Amino acid sequence: MEISNNKVVAFNYVLKNKDGEILDNTENEPLHYIHGYGNIIPGLEKALLGKKKDDKFDITIPPEEAYGIRDDANVQKIERAQFEPGVEITEGMRFQSQTEAGMQIFTVIAVDDNLITLDGNHPLAGETLDFSVEVGEIRDATEEEIQHGHVHIPGQEH
Ligand code: ZN
């Protein structure tokens, strides 16, 4: 079975930045996605098209096909009072927030007495990424998975 739209694919990967540092690694816990729904970054989805179980490949993906280029407009200052009282906010903290554009990751880049500076760029925005990929099981997605646009893993219903 080849990877094409509406296939559920399991794969393992090692992700490195252009300096060769490992950023992420599925080890033996493969990632599952449905092909054709943007579950994974565009460059990786394109590279997986037509691959088969046990195929291995390396691919370099530019930011435009990964997490996008950095945009300074995504840096904003928020008043301290808008955060939950009693929560300590420190530089380098990351949190997720639901925005009009979907789930977004924010990184705290500066903390003043009254203002918190947040960077809403994805932490990997602007990075060229090197993936080493090994394809695992491939199966047809169920109708429910196709309707939801994501994979259903037993015990993790949603
Ligand atoms: Zn679902």
Side-chain angles (χ1 to χ4, degrees), residues 112-123:
D112 299 316
D113 285 344
N114 294 315
L115 287 177
I116 311 285
T117 307
L118 297 178
D119 185 353
N121 288 291
H122 189 281

Side-chain angles (χ1 to χ4, degrees), residues 3 13 18-19 22 28 37 39 49 55 57 72 76 93 97 99 102 128 135 143-144 149 151:
I3 297 175
Y13 65 84
K18 63 181 185 306
D19 297 325
I22 294 178
N28 293 314
Y37 293 82
N39 292 169
L49 181 65
D55 279 355
F57 63 94
D72 287 339
Q76 51 185 312
M93 269 178 71
S97 185
T99 68
T128 295
V135 180
E143 278 189 29
E144 194 183 45
V151 178

Side-chain angles (χ1 to χ4, degrees), residues 11 55 87 94 102 121 131:
F11 68 101
D55 279 355
V87 175
R94 277 187 186 148
N121 288 291
F131 282 90

Side-chain angles (χ1 to χ4, degrees), residues 32-76:
H32 294 76
Y33 80 102
I34 305 185
H35 196 86
Y37 293 82
N39 292 169
I40 57 175
I41 58 172
L44 197 52
E45 192 163 38
K46 270 185 211 167
L48 281 157
L49 181 65
K51 294 289 193 290
K52 300 187 194 73
K53 184 175 188 289
D54 298 330
D55 279 355
K56 291 181 188 178
F57 63 94
D58 296 324
I59 183 168
T60 298
I61 301 178
E64 295 81 358
E65 295 277 288
Y67 292 98
I69 51 173
R70 285 190 51 82
D71 182 354
D72 287 339
N74 290 331
V75 175
Q76 51 185 312

Side-chain angles (χ1 to χ4, degrees), residues 5 15 17 30-31 37 46-47 53 71 86 91 94 97 99 102 104 125 131 133 135 137 142 146 148:
N5 284 348
L15 167 60
N17 64 16
L31 187 73
Y37 293 82
K46 270 185 211 167
K53 184 175 188 289
D71 182 354
E91 235 175 271
R94 277 187 186 148
S97 185
T99 68
Q104 201 176 348
F131 282 90
V133 176
V135 180
E137 299 293 334
T142 64
I146 290 169
H148 290 200

Side-chain angles (χ1 to χ4, degrees), residues 148 150 152 158:
H148 290 200
H150 57 231
H152 287 172
H158 52 109

